[in-house]
Amino acid sequence: MTRPISLFRFLDGPLMDQATRREEVIRRMAKDLAEHNAFSCERDAIRVLMTAGYPSYDVMALVGEARQVAQQELVAAQMSRVP
């Protein structure tokens, strides 16, 4: 029996710690929600995030925080406008 050739060495463990990954995923989700204007309704937010390719566990666990971040970014952008 032959051994498969390995072109690179596999990493033992995650590339980033859990808190950093969580923040990054929430930031990306919030950006997607803001692009589709789907942060006001939880059902729409879940639908957009699932079709965007996020894992279902991440969507269910982080959809609330992603909606909140998207809403905060919208409010901050509107407050920074000069009348």
Side-chain angles (χ1 to χ4, degrees), residues 25-69:
V25 170
I26 290 172
R27 187 188 60 78
R28 284 188 288 133
M29 284 180 169
K31 181 182 174 192
D32 288 340
L33 291 177
E35 285 177 3
H36 294 284
N37 197 18
F39 53 84
S40 58
C41 176
E42 186 176 19
R43 288 180 183 173
D44 290 343
I46 291 171
R47 191 174 296 120
V48 165
L49 295 174
M50 292 295 286
T51 57
Y54 292 99
S56 58
Y57 177 79
D58 285 346
V59 172
M60 293 302 138
L62 304 175
V63 68
E65 292 179 52
R67 287 179 60 217
Q68 182 179 5
V69 169

Side-chain angles (χ1 to χ4, degrees), residues 76-83:
Q78 288 181 354
M79 289 178 66
S80 66
R81 288 185 186 169
V82 178

